[in-house]
Amino acid sequence: MHISHMLIDGTSVSSRKVDTIFNPASGEPVAGVAVGGREEARLALEAAKRAFPVWSSMPAEERSEVLREAARLVRQRRDEIARLLTLEQGKPLKSSRSEVLSAADVLDYYAEEGKRNTGQWLAGPHSRSIVLRQPIGVAALITPWNYPVDLLSWKVAPCLAAGCTFVSKPPSLAPLAATEFVRAVSDAGLPAGAANVVHGPGGTVGAELVESPISRKIAFTGETATGRAVMAAAAARIKRISLELGGQSPFIVCADADLPAAAASAAHRAFSNMGQICVSVNRIYVADEVAEAFTDQLVSLAESLKIGDGMQPGVELGPMFSSQQREKTKEHVADALERGAELLAGGSEPEGEEFSRGFFFRPTVLGRADHSMRVMMEETFGPVAPIMKFRSVQEAVALANDTEYGLAAYVYTGSLKTAMQVAEGLESGGIGVNVNSVIDRQAPFGGWKQSGLGRELGRWGLEAYLETKHIRVGVWKE
């Protein structure tokens, strides 16, 4: 069986402890992974510290060339990285290929953005002020299993473009594709130690990365509860942190919305990747007068999606990532039904021998939902779309804001006035108006409230890895 090794100081590193990664579609072993601990994390941090002066002193144009080459290598190795991603995570192979190509595009974007790190010259009567933006140092990058390549690229690319070096900890149960992504980046011409990967649990490897005096920047994507723990640990040394945490995204359908477009968008964002997306549609609010028509269309779309092993052609939805994720989804559905919701589609595992060994679950639509139900107030992270009616746009906004989360929200309407009023009233870091995605490489991404701290992507993503320095120079007249 293939063993995925760690990458420390430019060298593949094995371990006495090897965990097995299993395919969530079949339960079959995919590969082994060398598991490290605090010692390996410490060695990787030290390697990144040694590489930092070399990489950070390199001209931005030369770093840009390396990032361009990294993007080329990722595209060249797309099929193998995507295959590993589908085998370990479950998503359809087509989606995995798209994720890998998106990660390459992020590398290309920051290859250019890194060259735009311009300073300022400020003139005073007796002095001149120079404002510089310089790389912060060694970064610790901790990422989740739902988009292990794409979300890692959001950190790796701006980190390197800024002149920083890093140690990454990929998800313990899905580390294969992320590790190969970093290997491709490292092979592009980085100095040894600039890019490192350490496998292992958050309680040991993650803790060392966050607590060590070497790391000066922590970038974490994951659950809100874990994010709070990361923030508390980083506070001991006043570290710069970026946290992209949980969501509970509302989807508002106004009476004047294009219903076919709204239903198609809601279905895609609620069910793709089996709902295991931080910006997934978690709850749908529909104007009373169009609720029946919208619901019928959403149910039809949910029932038409093809479920199966992600390696098979034509599959639109793979398995859920784990039995724990599926059980949580089933618990949320059961709780909603007990509290008066109506099951309109899905709600159970698909029947058939081909689904018996994987963590499959049918796309689920619930009617008569309300805020007494867990599915409306907690992040399900599963393929469930609960629907609640509203009578006024003001009521819809109030319902949408009735949560501790604020990562993404969506509104469908034919009125520009309504769109702007709703978008400005929603307490969320990203608002999609007549689109079901708030992600754009050139725009900031991040959450309000308990959904996070800081921003990724765009120039904001680069700034997260830079420190500001003011140099004041006295001048005198002859």
Side-chain angles (χ1 to χ4, degrees):
M1 182 169 60
H2 170 72
I3 305 296
S4 178
H5 294 106
M6 294 174 279
L7 178 65
I8 300 176
D9 203 14
T11 303
S12 290
V13 175
S14 59
S15 171
R16 292 182 179 180
K17 180 174 174 54
V18 176
D19 284 348
T20 302
I21 303 301
F22 294 94
N23 186 338
S26 64
E28 296 176 352
V30 175
V33 57
V35 179
R38 282 188 177 268
E39 179 60 23
E40 286 77 11
R42 191 174 301 116
L43 291 172
L45 287 166
E46 290 171 353
K49 183 179 180 180
R50 289 193 298 272
F52 174 70
V54 180
W55 180 247
S56 62
S57 62
M58 187 179 294
E61 289 76 10
E62 293 182 23
R63 293 201 298 264
S64 175
E65 291 175 4
V66 174
L67 285 169
R68 288 287 192 196
E69 175 64 8
R72 188 192 69 79
L73 288 177
V74 169
R75 292 189 182 99
Q76 183 184 79
R77 302 176 190 181
R78 176 200 66 175
D79 289 344
E80 177 57 20
I81 298 174
R83 186 185 71 87
L84 290 172
L85 179 53
T86 291
L87 290 174
E88 67 180 338
Q89 199 273 347
K91 65 184 62 179
L93 188 58
K94 181 180 179 181
S95 298
S96 293
R97 287 175 177 146
S98 294
E99 179 172 341
V100 175
L101 291 179
S102 176
D105 290 343
V106 173
L107 290 168
D108 269 336
Y109 176 86
Y110 280 104
E112 291 304 307
E113 194 65 36
K115 294 189 288 187
R116 302 188 184 105
N117 177 26
T118 56
Q120 289 180 290
W121 174 275
L122 307 173
H126 302 294
S127 68
R128 300 293 182 267
S129 288
I130 303 166
V131 181
L132 302 179
R133 307 300 303 281
Q134 294 181 299
I136 195 169
V138 175
L141 314 179
I142 304 173
T143 47
W145 51 260
N146 59 333
Y147 283 86
V149 177
D150 207 12
L151 293 178
L152 181 56
S153 75
W154 292 12
K155 299 166 176 57
V156 166
C159 171
L160 292 175
C164 297
T165 57
F166 70 87
V167 180
S168 64
K169 192 197 91 64
S172 296
L173 299 179
L176 306 177
T179 298
E180 291 309 306
F181 168 76
V182 176
R183 287 188 188 280
V185 173
S186 179
D187 290 346
L190 288 172
N196 303 271
V197 181
V198 180
H199 304 140
T204 53
V205 173
E208 182 65 28
L209 295 182
V210 174
E211 297 166 5
S212 169
I214 294 177
S215 60
R216 294 186 178 179
K217 159 75 181 183
I218 311 298
F220 171 84
T221 299
E223 295 179 341
T224 295
T226 308
R228 293 191 190 104
V230 169
M231 188 173 182
R237 294 185 182 274
I238 320 294
K239 297 190 180 187
R240 179 87 66 83
I241 58 173
S242 297
L243 302 174
E244 196 265 276
L245 309 177
Q248 233 287 349
S249 304
F251 189 99
I252 298 173
V253 183
C254 298
D256 61 355
D258 179 337
L259 293 187
S265 291
H268 181 267
R269 187 53 62 216
F271 303 135
S272 63
N273 205 36
M274 292 302 281
Q276 299 166 137
I277 309 175
C278 55
V279 294
S280 177
V281 169
N282 301 110
R283 50 206 166 101
I284 301 174
Y285 302 103
V286 187
D288 187 76
E289 55 264 52
V290 297
E292 183 176 354
F294 172 85
T295 300
D296 288 345
Q297 293 182 49
L298 183 61
V299 168
S300 178
L301 290 166
E303 292 177 337
S304 71
L305 294 168
K306 183 178 179 180
I307 307 172
D309 187 325
M311 294 297 290
Q312 299 301 316
V315 167
E316 296 170 283
L317 298 178
M320 297 196 70
F321 180 65
S322 66
S323 61
Q324 291 84 355
Q325 288 301 129
R326 185 170 66 176
E327 285 306 308
K328 180 182 179 182
T329 300
K330 291 167 70 174
E331 289 172 6
H332 277 203
V333 171
D335 172 78
L337 295 177
E338 289 174 5
R339 296 177 184 273
E342 179 184 8
L343 181 62
L344 302 175
S348 63
E349 297 93 333
E351 298 179 353
E353 176 62 27
E354 67 269 33
F355 304 114
S356 61
R357 292 182 298 166
F359 306 123
F360 296 97
F361 197 77
R362 295 162 61 207
T364 300
V365 180
L366 300 173
R368 296 202 302 260
D370 62 50
H371 282 205
S372 70
M373 303 168 186
R374 292 176 62 191
V375 73
M376 296 291 283
M377 304 306 291
E378 301 175 17
E379 186 176 33
T380 303
F381 229 56
V384 183
I387 300 173
M388 182 177 180
K389 300 177 184 179
F390 66 83
R391 293 181 179 176
S392 70
V393 172
Q394 292 75 19
E395 179 190 9
V397 172
L399 290 167
N401 288 339
D402 184 23
T403 176
E404 66 177 4
Y405 299 107
L407 186 58
Y410 311 93
V411 56
Y412 271 69
T413 176
S415 165
L416 178 60
K417 178 182 178 181
T418 300
M420 293 309 299
Q421 287 177 339
V422 172
E424 291 183 7
L426 290 168
E427 298 171 349
S428 182
I431 312 295
V433 178
N434 294 333
V435 294
N436 67 354
S437 176
V438 298
I439 297 171
D440 182 334
R441 277 186 291 277
Q442 63 186 343
F445 178 83
W448 286 22
K449 300 190 285 190
Q450 297 294 305
S451 284
L453 185 69
R455 293 295 181 267
E456 294 186 300
L457 299 180
R459 62 178 176 83
W460 298 266
L462 183 70
E463 289 170 359
Y465 295 87
L466 296 169
E467 286 280 26
T468 302
K469 177 182 287 182
H470 169 215
I471 303 172
R472 188 175 184 223
V473 181
V475 293
W476 296 267
K477 294 182 179 180
E478 293 294 338

